[in-house]
Amino acid sequence: MPIEEALAAWGALLGEGRVLSAEAAAQAYGASTSGLQRCFAAALRPARASEVQALVGIAARHRVPLYPISTGRNWGYGCALPVRDGCAIVDLSELRSIRDFDADLGVVTLEPGVTQAMLAEFLGRQPQPFLVPVTGAGPSASIVGNALERGYGITPVADHFGAVQSLEAVLPDGRVYRPALAESGAAEAARSFKWGVGPYLDGLFTQGSLGIVTSMTIALARRPERVKAFLFGLRAGAELTGLVAGVREVLRRFPGVVGGINLMNAHRVLAMAIAYPRERLGADGLIPDALVRRIAAQHRIADWTVFGTLYGTKRVVAAAQSEIRRLLKPYATGLLFVTPGFAERLQRWSRRLSGALRERTARRAEMLASAMELVAGRPNETALPLAYWKSGKQPAPGVARDPARDGCGLLWYAPLVSMKPESVTRYVELVTRVMRAHRLEPLITLTSLSERCFDSSVPLLFDRRSAEETDNAHRCNLALLENGRALGFVPYRVGIDAMGWLTQGDAPHWALVRALKAAVDPDGILAPGRYGPG
């Protein structure tokens, strides 16, 4: 049989311990926060990039489809699961080489297994004055994997694929793709100039299935003289529409100084402040509005909370702070500007308190200190506890969080929302209506991608042990996708179960994707069904 012949060839190439059977692959990679299941053909664990080229050749000869993952920390979008059954996982997490680092140009070339924590440790050894492009996925998540999903953060280089200068990838026929500049011998220029020469092709390897990326060069943001965050609540009586207009004006006036701005509704902040109130739910299975208002008042949580970042010299940040205070005055209550040092001191002070005051203060101080570490480019698990809110489960002390391993139920709905006040209002109403209809709490965050656009991240949290709750979460996700598209809100990325929804129809865009896939990978060897045809 083809799979048996492929397994024998892969075993000879990689060594038996690096080739997992279908059963062992399911055990190692089958857990997912989505609650979905997949049948695996095998799993392959190459130790060197050169082995990827050879294993792809074996797959092509025996017609066994492959599904590459960087570290499998794609929480809420499928984790390590392939889109379709019958794939052999190609686990690139042991490709951990940092191939090149140019401190003068501020660029680093790394392999898919390099995580946020690994890059932070590498830069800290020097030490080098650069920020890690952190995300909420945590220290164990891949830098390359996030960039290929066109992920983002709130540090100065918010667009993580925008920071990619060049990449290398193994094509479905086993050849290695490099940009034209690199092929011409201009390696330094290729690491310095994103667009290269000739048609720009590197982008074809993002959110697609045309190659397995084995290395990537990214530009790092330099650590500025001053890092500062500002946070406030929406003033009572002020409208969300005014807040959006004010945030947009801040972004317009301070490009390059304001790194990113998050808007979080009360439900979202509540999920960070308290344990899930399982014993106080209403008959509809939701947290009653009266309870939300009472807890919000107790914890001084406004209808909307804003968290933004400033980067620059001390004088530039001070000038921006003064102007931002003026611009946001009509909408803001409790406006604070905080440095990482202040947040650390506040956390130490809160630990010396006792009783109810400590209970109210310590958790908020801890969250603020962790958030400040993140915006200063130091990876941590600040955002990961959200995945555990509904389940209530937590890993053992000292064990890193892994929502898939720990049984968390999580899907993400992540649409793009125009930074127009009326668009944001319609969007919030849509999410609230659809999620309440499916008995899910509407935890809404809007993150600025530019002065023109938000991405919204909405977690659908559920009990993965319950088939009913799992099915309900997937129905809710589909309802959000369908209702959102009708209003012009489409995600910037989708989970493995929504690939067919995204690519259905005969639009010229997806027709071109299908034509490219047919030309480059006629046998459908690489990641069948991923952002394209099966």
Side-chain angles (χ1 to χ4, degrees):
M1 294 177 63
I3 183 60
E4 294 172 349
E5 295 170 357
L7 287 170
W10 284 325
L13 171 69
L14 303 176
E16 295 299 330
R18 295 186 178 276
V19 179
L20 278 63
S21 67
E23 294 77 13
Q27 183 69 27
Y29 302 99
S32 170
T33 65
S34 67
L36 298 172
Q37 295 181 333
R38 291 290 185 268
C39 295
F40 299 85
L44 314 174
R45 293 173 170 171
R48 293 175 293 277
S50 59
E51 294 173 342
V52 177
Q53 189 174 6
L55 70 83
V56 169
I58 293 170
R61 286 197 299 275
H62 297 286
R63 304 288 180 88
V64 179
L66 303 174
Y67 195 83
I69 62 172
S70 296
T71 59
R73 267 56 175 172
N74 201 17
W75 317 125
Y77 294 102
C79 300
L81 295 185
V83 177
R84 302 288 172 81
D85 287 333
C87 293
I89 295 292
V90 182
D91 181 351
L92 305 173
S93 62
E94 292 192 40
L95 274 59
R96 300 171 182 166
S97 173
I98 295 179
R99 296 186 182 181
D100 183 79
F101 173 65
D102 191 321
D104 290 333
L105 298 178
V107 295
V108 62
T109 302
L110 34 75
E111 293 182 340
V114 177
T115 65
Q116 296 179 35
M118 291 176 191
L119 181 56
E121 193 273 335
F122 173 83
L123 295 174
R125 284 201 306 264
Q126 312 291 323
Q128 293 292 342
F130 297 99
L131 303 176
V132 176
V134 293
T135 70
S140 64
S142 166
I143 302 285
V144 170
N146 181 259
L148 291 177
E149 282 289 350
R150 299 205 285 270
Y152 61 89
I154 58 174
T155 47
V157 183
D159 178 353
H160 291 167
F161 186 70
V164 174
Q165 304 302 293
S166 64
L167 55 80
E168 291 184 5
V170 177
L171 299 174
D173 62 5
R175 290 180 298 164
V176 176
Y177 164 88
R178 298 181 184 87
L181 283 176
E183 293 284 14
S184 301
E188 189 168 275
R191 293 194 298 270
S192 309
F193 182 59
K194 180 181 181 74
W195 304 112
V197 62
Y200 180 71
L201 301 180
D202 287 20
L204 293 175
F205 298 96
T206 69
Q207 293 191 355
S209 58
L210 298 183
I212 299 178
V213 174
T214 53
S215 78
M216 176 182 287
T217 299
I218 63 172
L220 298 171
R222 292 186 179 273
R223 188 175 299 280
E225 182 182 12
R226 175 71 79 186
V227 176
K228 216 166 198 180
F230 59 93
L231 62 157
F232 62 91
L234 178 63
R235 183 186 296 276
E239 298 291 336
L240 177 61
T241 52
L243 176 62
V244 170
V247 165
R248 185 175 61 190
E249 188 60 25
V250 168
L251 291 164
R252 284 175 175 173
R253 293 201 185 194
F254 300 102
V257 179
V258 176
I261 300 178
N262 279 348
L263 281 65
M264 297 170 283
N265 73 344
H267 275 79
R268 177 65 182 87
V269 179
L270 208 65
M272 297 188 291
I274 66 165
Y276 182 65
R278 193 177 308 276
E279 306 304 321
R280 294 189 283 174
L281 302 180
D284 57 0
L286 296 170
I287 304 173
D289 288 340
L291 180 60
V292 171
R293 289 193 297 270
R294 187 160 63 249
I295 298 174
Q298 179 184 347
H299 290 269
R300 297 182 180 178
I301 298 171
D303 288 346
W304 287 88
T305 297
V306 179
F307 183 91
T309 52
L310 299 172
Y311 301 92
T313 65
K314 290 181 180 179
R315 293 178 65 182
V316 166
V317 169
Q321 176 176 326
S322 177
E323 185 67 4
I324 288 171
R325 189 182 296 278
R326 184 187 66 80
L327 289 170
L328 295 178
K329 185 177 180 180
Y331 321 108
T333 182
L335 176 59
L336 293 175
F337 289 85
V338 182
T339 63
F342 174 83
E344 290 173 9
R345 291 192 297 274
L346 179 63
Q347 185 179 27
R348 290 196 298 269
W349 171 80
S350 70
R351 289 170 179 166
R352 294 198 292 267
L353 301 174
S354 60
L357 182 59
R358 176 189 173 100
E359 185 178 343
R360 287 197 305 268
T361 306
R363 175 58 180 153
R364 297 182 74 173
E366 178 187 351
M367 288 191 301
L368 179 60
S370 295
M372 291 306 300
E373 282 189 356
L374 208 62
V375 302
R378 293 189 287 271
N380 62 34
E381 295 186 345
T382 299
L384 282 180
L386 176 66
Y388 294 76
W389 191 56
K390 186 74 179 288
S391 72
K393 297 179 179 180
Q394 293 294 336
V399 176
R401 287 184 173 89
D402 182 327
R405 176 201 65 203
D406 296 336
C408 300
L410 168 67
L411 301 172
W412 284 109
Y413 175 55
L416 299 166
V417 182
S418 171
M419 202 175 289
K420 293 182 176 180
E422 61 274 16
S423 295
V424 173
T425 299
R426 284 190 296 119
Y427 169 73
V428 170
E429 290 172 349
L430 160 75
V431 172
T432 302
R433 172 175 55 80
V434 171
M435 293 193 71
R436 283 188 173 279
H438 288 82
R439 308 182 308 283
L440 293 174
E441 303 294 342
L443 313 180
I444 303 174
T445 300
L446 294 153
T447 302
S448 65
L449 301 181
S450 69
E451 67 183 52
R452 295 170 292 277
C453 185
F454 287 116
D455 174 67
S456 180
S457 51
V458 177
L460 281 64
L461 302 174
F462 57 96
D463 185 347
R464 212 169 84 199
R465 297 168 300 180
S466 165
E468 181 182 357
E469 285 202 24
T470 301
D471 289 344
N472 178 65
H474 283 274
R475 287 195 300 272
C476 181
N477 191 38
L478 181 59
L480 287 168
L481 292 170
E482 292 285 4
N483 285 271
R485 181 162 58 183
L487 295 177
F489 305 121
V490 176
Y492 88 100
R493 64 190 286 195
V494 296
I496 59 171
D497 57 324
M499 297 291 174
W501 172 87
L502 181 69
T503 60
Q504 63 186 334
D506 56 358
H509 175 95
W510 296 113
L512 178 57
V513 171
R514 286 191 286 273
L516 289 170
K517 179 69 171 176
V520 175
D521 187 11
D523 295 322
I525 296 300
L526 293 187
R530 182 168 179 78
Y531 290 102

